[in-house]
């Protein structure tokens, strides 16, 4: 009987440990100041992702595209998109470096940009996420081409929108890899000719975007991404699994098909202490079912990396910045990236932000209309 109690006690203890969901991320997020911002006077700045290099420095890969209007000379191909909406055609992935994870970061090189060739990734390079697996660096991203057959009705009222969709609806996920972080800067990376993930028109349709990839508890590689599902108003997260970081990913589940739980921009990690998966996301619903504000940053979780739900403490941050002078309300706070230690404990939170709506900022946005990356220094998680 005594041995039986010990066995039962062991399994109960193991279950409690494996089922821990006590991460309260919002308590880790402190105040910020101007030293925590990364921006450019000439470019919209978005989509950051950070990794530590072999040299001990921190490398931020991020999206950028130039301010202002374009001319036929700048862009003789097809259709021109000005201002903030230009991400869908002109975004490029750049790299900045810092001595500390929270910066300050300094631009060093543009890593991926359009070369005008007729490949699947002919135009924009966006949504970068940099990871290091088994001493190799993998840079995940999205890109698109152009499908002239889509939305052929060119009535004047919707012409620009339909032209935009001809690019937007060709988005796919790719990956490039390198043995050293400097190889990305020097252009010595390996770039496959085909995308890593694209709509299969069986489960997923229209686009595949927002990739986040980690190595899971079982040694396999887990990808969460966003795509369209038939008869569902919002985009849906999908989970896919592979035996290799750049291998064939097989879809194993869909996540949050209910519009009340609609999310985008996931950044996933595995918490070895709590023995569960977490993902920081942007909440894309007005229902307040997950967190109390549209566009707020939220926390979702899973024990197995396949079945997901809102975390016990789901709010990471409202759409605001807390400063010494008070709180600043934001038009955008999205594309979260959580930098963790080797145990999966959060060290820093990065996000794309703007104080005022950048699409309304005119040809030369002021600082309030400009977009920037903010780094939230996180307090120690003692649980």
């Amino acid at each position: 009987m005594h041995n039986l109690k010990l066995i039962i006690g062991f399994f109960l203890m193991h279950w409690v440990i494996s089922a821990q969901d006590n991460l309260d991320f919002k308590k880790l997020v402190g105040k910020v100041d101007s030293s925590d911002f990364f921006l450019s006077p000439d470019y919209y700045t978005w989509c950051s992702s950070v990794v530590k290099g072999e040299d001990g420095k921190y490398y931020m890969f991020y999206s950028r595209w130039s301010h202002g209007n374009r001319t036929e000379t700048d862009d003789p191909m097809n259709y021109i998109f000005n201002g903030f909406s230009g991400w869908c055609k002109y975004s490029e992935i750049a790299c900045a470096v810092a001595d500390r994870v929270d910066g300050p970061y300094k631009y060093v090189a543009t890593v991926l940009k359009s070369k005008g060739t007729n490949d699947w990734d002919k135009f924009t390079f966006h949504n970068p996420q940099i990871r290091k697996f088994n001493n190799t660096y993998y840079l995940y991203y999205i890109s698109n081409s152009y499908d002239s057959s889509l939305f052929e009705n060119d009535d004047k009222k919707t012409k620009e929108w339909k032209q935009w969709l001809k690019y937007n609806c060709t988005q796919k996920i790719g990956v490039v890899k390198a043995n050293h972080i400097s190889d990305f800067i020097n252009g010595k990376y390996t770039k496959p000719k085909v995308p890593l993930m694209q709509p299969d028109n069986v489960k997923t349709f229209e686009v595949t975007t927002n990739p986040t990839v980690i190595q899971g508890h079982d040694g396999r590689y887990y990808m969460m991404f966003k795509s369209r599902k038939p008869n569902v108003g919002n985009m849906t997260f999908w989970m896919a699994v592979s035996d290799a970081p750049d291998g064939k990913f097989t879809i194993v589940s869909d996540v949050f098909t209910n519009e009340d739980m609609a999310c985008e921009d996931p950044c996933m990690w595995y918490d070895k202490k709590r023995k569960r998966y977490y993902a920081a996301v942007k909440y894309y619903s007005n229902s307040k079912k997950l967190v109390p504000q549209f566009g707020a940053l939220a926390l979702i979780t899973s024990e197995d990396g396949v079945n997901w739900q809102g975390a016990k403490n789901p709010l990471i941050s409202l759409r605001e910045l807390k400063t010494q002078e008070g709180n600043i309300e934001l038009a955008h706070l999205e594309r979260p990236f959580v930098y963790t230690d080797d145990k999966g404990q959060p060290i820093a939170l990065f996000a794309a932000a703007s104080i005022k709506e950048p699409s309304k900022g005119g040809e030369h946005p002021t600082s309030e209309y400009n977009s920037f990356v903010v780094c939230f220094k996180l307090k120690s998680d003692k649980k």
Side-chain angles (χ1 to χ4, degrees):
M1 180 63 71
H2 178 70
N3 288 339
L4 180 60
K5 287 182 179 179
L6 286 176
I7 293 172
I8 293 173
F10 171 80
F11 280 107
L12 284 174
M13 181 179 69
H14 177 74
W15 181 85
V16 169
I17 292 173
S18 67
Q20 276 187 331
D21 180 19
N22 58 1
L23 176 58
D24 196 344
F25 209 113
K26 72 177 184 299
K27 291 184 177 180
L28 308 182
V29 179
K31 295 180 179 180
V32 299
D33 57 43
S34 59
S35 66
D36 300 314
F37 302 156
F38 175 72
L39 72 164
S40 167
D42 301 316
Y43 291 88
Y44 297 104
T45 306
W46 216 246
C47 292
S48 61
S49 177
V50 174
V51 70
K52 190 175 184 179
E54 313 98 304
D55 56 2
K57 296 181 182 294
Y58 295 87
Y59 291 81
M60 175 193 291
F61 292 79
Y62 64 98
S63 301
R64 70 175 196 170
W65 61 104
S66 62
H67 291 157
N69 295 329
R70 295 173 182 267
T71 67
E72 291 292 341
T73 302
D74 299 325
D75 187 6
M77 171 67 183
N78 296 321
Y79 206 86
I80 295 172
F81 300 108
N82 292 317
F84 193 66
S85 66
W87 73 264
C88 191
K89 188 172 182 181
Y90 312 117
S91 180
E92 60 188 33
I93 294 175
C95 179
V97 66
D99 293 326
R100 297 163 30 123
V101 69
D102 55 349
Y105 284 87
K106 182 179 179 180
Y107 166 85
V108 289
T110 297
V111 177
L112 293 172
K113 63 184 299 183
S114 175
K115 294 182 179 179
T117 55
N118 288 317
D119 298 321
W120 72 269
D121 52 357
K122 182 175 183 177
F123 293 109
T124 196
F125 289 82
H126 206 61
N127 287 181
Q129 186 166 107
I130 184 71
R131 296 293 194 188
K132 186 179 183 181
F133 302 122
N134 301 321
N135 296 318
T136 300
Y137 294 93
Y138 296 83
L139 178 59
Y140 300 90
Y141 66 97
I142 66 167
S143 188
N144 55 262
S145 53
Y146 179 82
D147 190 340
S148 61
S149 67
L150 293 172
F151 313 105
E152 292 180 342
N153 181 12
D154 284 339
D155 56 281
K156 292 182 179 180
K157 289 184 179 180
T158 58
K159 182 177 181 180
E160 183 170 351
W161 170 240
K162 289 183 177 181
Q163 285 291 335
W164 194 82
L165 289 175
K166 290 173 188 281
Y167 295 89
N168 181 267
C169 293
T170 61
Q171 291 176 104
K172 302 176 180 68
I173 295 169
V175 64
V176 295
K177 65 180 181 180
N179 293 325
H180 305 284
I181 199 71
S182 59
D183 290 341
F184 289 116
I185 297 170
N186 297 323
K188 295 181 180 179
Y189 48 78
T190 300
K191 184 174 178 291
K193 294 183 179 180
V194 296
L196 184 63
M197 179 66 71
Q198 59 185 317
D200 60 12
N201 295 319
V202 177
K203 293 180 179 179
T204 58
F205 293 81
E206 188 180 302
V207 298
T208 51
T209 64
N210 294 180
T212 177
V213 178
I214 61 167
Q215 188 169 26
H217 66 288
D218 55 1
R220 296 187 298 169
Y221 297 88
Y222 288 73
M223 176 192 287
M224 182 183 286
F225 66 97
K226 188 178 73 169
S227 188
R228 181 73 67 189
K229 186 175 183 178
N231 303 315
V232 176
N234 56 281
M235 299 283 253
T236 298
F237 283 161
W238 295 85
M239 291 303 306
V241 178
S242 175
D243 291 328
D246 56 348
K248 180 181 178 180
F249 278 84
T250 301
I251 292 175
V252 292
S253 67
D254 53 5
V255 181
F256 297 162
T257 58
N258 189 309
E259 290 189 24
D260 289 344
M261 292 291 286
C263 299
E264 64 177 14
D265 296 348
C267 174
M268 184 170 49
W269 71 96
Y270 183 68
D271 188 323
K272 294 181 180 179
K273 183 170 70 175
R274 294 177 174 88
K275 299 186 184 300
R276 62 171 50 243
Y277 296 80
Y278 283 106
V281 300
K282 173 190 172 182
Y283 189 45
Y284 205 74
S285 171
N286 286 304
S287 72
K288 301 181 180 181
K289 185 174 180 179
L290 181 59
V291 290
Q293 183 188 51
F294 179 93
L297 300 185
L299 188 67
I300 62 175
T301 190
S302 170
E303 287 191 57
D304 59 6
V306 176
N307 301 287
W308 289 79
Q309 62 188 32
K312 179 181 179 181
N313 303 298
L315 181 63
I316 293 177
S317 174
L318 295 175
R319 208 173 57 245
E320 64 183 11
L321 298 177
K322 296 179 180 179
T323 73
Q324 295 293 343
E325 292 74 30
N327 292 358
I328 300 174
E329 185 177 349
L330 299 173
H332 293 276
L333 183 65
E334 50 194 79
R335 296 298 307 160
F337 178 80
V338 179
Y339 182 88
T340 69
D341 63 18
D342 57 3
K343 300 294 184 184
Q345 306 308 296
I347 301 297
L349 167 66
F350 297 82
S354 65
I355 297 173
K356 292 187 177 181
E357 176 55 53
S359 62
K360 298 179 180 179
E363 186 173 348
H364 299 290
T366 66
S367 59
E368 287 192 323
Y369 288 101
N370 202 354
S371 59
F372 55 93
V373 169
V374 57
C375 176
F376 296 90
K377 302 180 182 77
L378 301 183
K379 302 171 187 177
S380 176
D381 177 19
K382 297 180 180 180
K383 289 187 177 181

